[in-house]
Amino acid sequence: VGEEQLRRRLEGQFHFDPSTYEQEIRAEVPQFDRLQRVLASASGAGAARILELGTGTGETSALLLDRHPEALLVGIDSSENMLAVAREAFPRDRVDLRVARLEDELPPGPFDLVASALAVHHLDGPDKAELFSRVAGALRAGGLFVLADVVVPIDPADADVPLTPGYDKPSSVADQLRWLAAAGFDASVRWADGDLAVIVARS
Ligand SMILES: C[S@@+](CC[C@H](N)C(=O)[O-])C[C@H]1O[C@@H](n2cnc3c(N)ncnc32)[C@H](O)[C@@H]1O
């Protein structure tokens, strides 16, 4: 493993401290709870199988499980430290949490819903485009991909969320809509405010 690759892996594992995450993320992203609520309501109803990308401590998963009471959720995250907190919070018969990177093969579908909050912006543009193709492949026909994330705002003055160079790599909404369309999705913006957006994409 090269030095740069190792640095990235360690950054992915230790960037967030699970014991302070919930407090810090709400300080850094004042609209955190709003973003999560919009994601949940954009995820429709009645999903039976959900894949969550970048589960972290399970803030997003909790809302998804409430919204889809019959659902089984598979959550992936590169950080075992973060997932350890989520593991405590959810029943094992409903939630399957796996240490995995978004850049790698996704758990086998088909899923009714793929959802992600504040995680995909850790991938650069080409990796996002490639992920969107794999998400399309993991969804059933007509399934939904809901992406809530930090984006490059249209007006640079709207960039509020603090970013770590080399770890946070947001893209514009326009680029992401283009990559989603190229992956075969019918995608549109559900909500956007400054440097945050929720995109809904139907496969
Ligand atoms: C800001 S947290 C979001 C967690 C949760 N979705 C929420 O909204 O609270 C970002 C999560 O993405 C994970 N992450 C970052 N880069 C990743 C990657 N390349 N593959 C998988 N997970 C990644 C981090 O470990 C972290 O748990």
Side-chain angles (χ1 to χ4, degrees):
V1 178
E3 204 172 304
E4 177 60 16
Q5 214 178 347
L6 188 62
R7 188 191 66 72
R8 272 198 241 120
R9 276 193 200 171
L10 291 173
E11 177 84 89
Q13 177 67 7
F14 297 113
H15 184 83
F16 297 102
D17 176 347
S19 65
T20 53
Y21 170 73
E22 287 169 28
Q23 206 181 336
E24 282 175 7
I25 196 77
R26 285 185 172 84
E28 290 188 354
V29 185
Q31 299 222 69
F32 177 83
D33 289 300
R34 174 126 195 239
L35 184 79
Q36 303 285 345
R37 279 199 305 275
V38 176
L39 178 154
S41 76
S43 72
R49 289 201 73 206
I50 301 174
L51 173 63
E52 188 192 357
L53 309 175
T55 296
T57 56
E59 293 269 327
T60 316
S61 335
L63 294 178
L64 290 170
L65 291 166
D66 272 358
R67 175 103 193 166
H68 304 272
E70 305 299 323
L72 303 180
L73 182 145
V74 178
I76 65 169
D77 198 287
S78 54
S79 168
E80 169 55 34
N81 293 344
M82 294 290 275
L83 287 183
V85 174
R87 280 207 180 90
E88 294 294 312
F90 304 119
R92 278 172 198 218
D93 58 348
R94 274 196 84 191
V95 177
D96 173 2
L97 299 173
R98 308 180 189 179
V99 177
R101 298 162 70 243
L102 304 185
E103 296 88 332
D104 299 333
E105 199 178 332
L106 296 174
F111 294 94
D112 303 304
L113 169 67
V114 177
S116 185
L118 299 171
V120 171
H121 73 275
H122 293 300
L123 274 53
D124 65 18
D127 281 352
K128 286 189 190 86
E130 202 265 329
L131 171 67
F132 295 167
S133 292
R134 282 182 289 117
V135 169
L139 276 168
R140 68 164 168 80
L144 273 191
F145 176 32
V146 184
L147 177 63
D149 216 342
V150 184
V151 299
V152 173
I154 294 167
D155 180 347
D158 287 336
D160 287 333
V161 175
L163 303 174
T164 302
Y167 187 56
D168 296 305
K169 304 163 193 168
S171 300
S172 67
V173 165
D175 279 345
Q176 295 187 85
L177 290 175
R178 209 160 36 77
W179 299 327
L180 286 163
F185 285 105
D186 181 6
S188 59
V189 178
R190 169 61 64 103
W191 174 80
D193 190 358
D195 55 359
L196 295 174
V198 176
I199 295 173
V200 178
R202 193 169 288 281
S203 76

